[in-house]
Amino acid sequence: MTTSPSSPRYPLQGVVSWNMNTTCGYRCSYCTQRFVDDRTQWARDLPRFVEAFTTLAGDWEIKLSGGEPFAHPRFIQTVRELASGGLRVSVVTNLSASQDKLAAFAQATAARPGVLSASLHLEHVQPVAFRDKLARFAKLGRCHATTVATRAVLPRLPALVALFAEAGLELRIQPEKQDRDVIDYTPAERVALLALGGHNGTGVVDPDLSGRPCWAGSRYFIVDHRGQAWRCYPARRRRREFLGNVLDGSLRLRDAATVCPYAYCNCTVPQQRGMVDTSTA
Ligand code: SF4
Ligand code: SF4
């Protein structure tokens, strides 16, 4: 195991990104899952998932995503059980769920609120209606919006950011990816992306953190709907740094930060939680 004396400090709260289903009612042109053969899959053995997550050592947050996690047939029940187990629960959603379901999520997580990250998909929804729905949720829980900066949308983004700001909401930008990597933006488009805060407000478009110690694999990891776990999204895409399965007892987390081998990091959590040094990335 490779460690470094300059490793970031031990993160007190770990984070699991759990892609709990592939199901989604939308078909976005830039969806990273659009080539998945079967988009009707979901995590089925929920008691074992809940047990696996609630028995992780230390303090953890579970970040639910999919597909569209609210489309999981037992989504709210799962949130309640994870929260009852003492976990902070956050969600990444396209906000297509009913207001009642959104309120149920806020209520289930009220004791230890996570964050609802609402993805604005302009191919499917009107921005004003989406903003107003998110503003109603904002009275119940913590939230922000994100949207993918396709070439066609990029010129509209400053106005969209202002539209959300009018309602006291933050709209963060995510660079478009195709075939694993950020698309070939022009220099002028990159300047525009940076003016909007870069990827999810990190101040960069496509950070290269390779060679730096990172706590992903120890205090952050990715789990799919079958329980398969990887160090982070770049690791899963390349089928490297597999950590085992959370359902069969084979999960093995690392006990220290280890060097990042990837030339492009699109994992916001380790970057924003101080799990890797992002200076001059
Ligand atoms: S809403 Fe999300 S999961 Fe659904 S198609 Fe769009 S990008 Fe993919
Ligand atoms: S790609 Fe990002 S999350 Fe993964 S090891 Fe590198 S810095 Fe950490």
Side-chain angles (χ1 to χ4, degrees):
M1 181 179 299
T2 308
T3 60
S4 162
S6 63
S7 295
R9 291 171 61 183
Y10 177 82
L12 289 177
Q13 186 169 73
V15 181
V16 181
S17 286
W18 181 20
N19 299 137
M20 65 190 299
N21 59 331
T22 62
T23 330
C24 181
Y26 295 170
R27 289 292 180 270
C28 303
S29 61
Y30 44 74
C31 181
T32 53
Q33 296 200 29
R34 68 188 183 285
F35 298 123
V36 171
D37 290 336
D38 181 359
R39 296 202 58 183
T40 61
Q41 305 171 75
W42 62 80
R44 291 174 188 269
D45 196 346
L46 292 175
R48 281 170 67 207
F49 273 105
V50 170
E51 183 186 359
F53 293 139
T54 54
T55 54
L56 287 168
D59 186 23
W60 288 85
E61 172 178 340
I62 309 297
K63 195 173 171 192
L64 303 171
S65 62
E68 168 49 42
F70 275 88
H72 191 291
R74 293 166 67 195
F75 176 74
I76 293 296
Q77 179 188 345
T78 306
V79 171
R80 287 191 185 117
E81 291 179 12
L82 291 169
S84 302
L87 297 164
R88 188 186 301 280
V89 184
S90 294
V91 67
V92 179
T93 173
N94 61 25
L95 211 66
S96 59
S98 69
Q99 208 75 49
D100 284 350
K101 273 194 172 179
L102 293 168
F105 174 82
Q107 186 178 36
T109 57
R112 205 175 177 212
V115 175
L116 181 141
S117 176
S119 312
L120 168 64
H121 296 293
L122 292 161
E123 296 172 359
H124 293 281
V125 294
Q126 290 298 320
V128 172
F130 181 95
R131 179 201 66 176
D132 292 348
K133 189 172 185 180
L134 186 60
R136 286 194 288 279
F137 179 86
K139 296 186 174 119
L140 306 173
R142 295 166 58 205
C143 61
H144 63 257
T146 66
T147 199
V148 175
T150 63
R151 281 218 158 83
V153 164
L154 190 48
R156 293 174 58 193
L157 286 178
L160 283 170
V161 169
L163 180 78
F164 278 72
E166 280 170 15
L169 296 167
E170 184 185 5
L171 175 64
R172 299 177 185 169
I173 305 309
Q174 295 177 338
E176 180 179 357
K177 294 195 294 289
Q178 296 288 354
D179 298 328
R180 300 179 176 177
D181 292 316
V182 170
I183 63 171
D184 192 17
Y185 287 110
T186 66
E189 288 170 336
R190 284 184 167 264
V191 168
L193 287 167
L194 290 172
L196 292 160
H199 182 159
N200 272 349
T202 56
V204 281
V205 174
D206 44 4
D208 177 357
L209 302 171
S210 56
R212 304 184 188 203
C214 174
W215 283 97
S218 173
R219 298 297 286 157
Y220 176 69
F221 63 101
I222 307 292
V223 177
D224 71 11
H225 62 283
R226 296 158 301 185
Q228 302 282 81
W230 281 270
R231 182 182 189 187
C232 58
Y233 284 111
R236 188 176 72 177
R237 282 200 302 276
R238 289 163 179 77
R239 294 294 188 260
R240 292 174 59 180
E241 302 196 269
F242 180 61
L243 301 176
N245 190 293
V246 303
L247 298 180
D248 66 12
S250 62
L251 178 72
R252 295 291 177 272
L253 297 180
R254 298 172 181 173
D255 57 10
T258 50
V259 165
C260 169
Y262 306 107
Y264 163 49
C265 175
N266 65 319
C267 295
T268 309
V269 170
Q271 293 181 47
Q272 293 193 325
R273 305 287 180 102
M275 295 185 186
V276 59
D277 179 4
T278 58
S279 58
T280 66

